[in-house]
Amino acid sequence: MPLHLVEHPLVHAILAELRDEGTPPEAFRRLANRISVLLAAEALRELPTETITVKTPLADAPGRRIGRDVVVVPVLRAGLGMLDAVLQLLPDARVGHIGLQRDELTAIASQYYSKLPPSLESSYVLMIDPMLATGGSAVAAIDLLRRAGANNIRIVCIVAAPEGVELVERHHPDVHIYTPVVDIKLNAHKYIVPGLGDFGDRLYGTL
Ligand code: PRP
Ligand code: URA
């Protein structure tokens, strides 16, 4: 089952602060960055490495370096709140952008932007989008990445709903999902309950 529930206590302490309706945008952005570092580290656990030798002041020591091209793909706009965290861990990662916007009434996502790096076939692709609700945005973004040649895709999110996990698993059973939590349900407006509200609006103060 490609669903990875990240149990780290720091992740869950940060998540509680993100959920809190009293957390203002400045703190929300900082917390989003901190939780994303921890989640991305987990999603990069299977990243291949190459053996190297480094010289310490005393002797040669065996070491490892990252052995695979990594492409990080934030889904705009909320995914941008997770990007700096991944780039702190992997400054050399290439970055692609996918712009998707859910319709306020139907919750159906439509694409308004896409710019991906070339040659994704052998890359380790980390798609970052904090909210996996109906799963419509994630499936649309994965479809696009696949059409661009990506074979090895992982999704990192901060809150997921059962409906979103199920949709991604049905359409893309080989895509791994990393999340601290799968919440109870979606409400009538397709927001995650209890969730944390609209992530993009809370991140950028556009409530
Ligand atoms: C949010 C979120 C996901 C999407 C999840 O973005 O960041 O991309 O909704 O919902 P889904 O699983 O039902 O598709 P939104 O469309 O609100 O745009 P924003 O990031 O610009 O705020
Ligand atoms: N997008 C959000 O930002 N929050 C939700 O609960 C669902 C979609």
Side-chain angles (χ1 to χ4, degrees), residues 75-78 100-102 107 129-137 198 200:
V75 176
L76 311 181
R77 131 194 94 142
L100 290 169
Q101 173 94 59
R102 287 201 328 173
D129 189 342
M131 307 304 279
L132 179 62
T134 65
S137 303
D198 189 301

Side-chain angles (χ1 to χ4, degrees), residues 13-14 17-18 23 26-36 158:
I14 298 167
E17 289 192 69
L18 283 169
T23 301
E26 183 275 323
F28 194 90
R29 282 194 286 273
R30 205 165 9 91
L31 292 161
N33 180 279
R34 280 173 47 204
I35 198 168
S36 301
I158 295 177

Side-chain angles (χ1 to χ4, degrees), residues 1-6 43 132 142 153-157 160 164-169 172 174-179 182:
M1 178 102 153
L3 175 68
H4 302 260
L5 287 173
V6 182
L132 179 62
I142 299 165
I153 304 170
R154 284 166 171 73
I155 305 180
V156 184
C157 58
V165 171
E166 200 266 326
L167 197 77
V168 172
E169 282 179 354
H172 297 290
D174 59 325
V175 169
H176 291 245
I177 303 170
Y178 293 81
T179 182
V182 179

Side-chain angles (χ1 to χ4, degrees), residues 153-207:
I153 304 170
R154 284 166 171 73
I155 305 180
V156 184
C157 58
I158 295 177
V159 182
E163 292 87 340
V165 171
E166 200 266 326
L167 197 77
V168 172
E169 282 179 354
R170 186 144 44 87
H171 286 258
H172 297 290
D174 59 325
V175 169
H176 291 245
I177 303 170
Y178 293 81
T179 182
V181 70
V182 179
D183 269 3
I184 297 167
K185 61 174 184 179
L186 297 178
N187 69 11
H189 303 287
K190 308 294 185 197
Y191 274 82
I192 303 173
V193 179
L196 51 72
D198 189 301
F199 197 98
D201 283 345
R202 295 196 60 192
L203 190 68
Y204 294 119
T206 49
L207 285 164

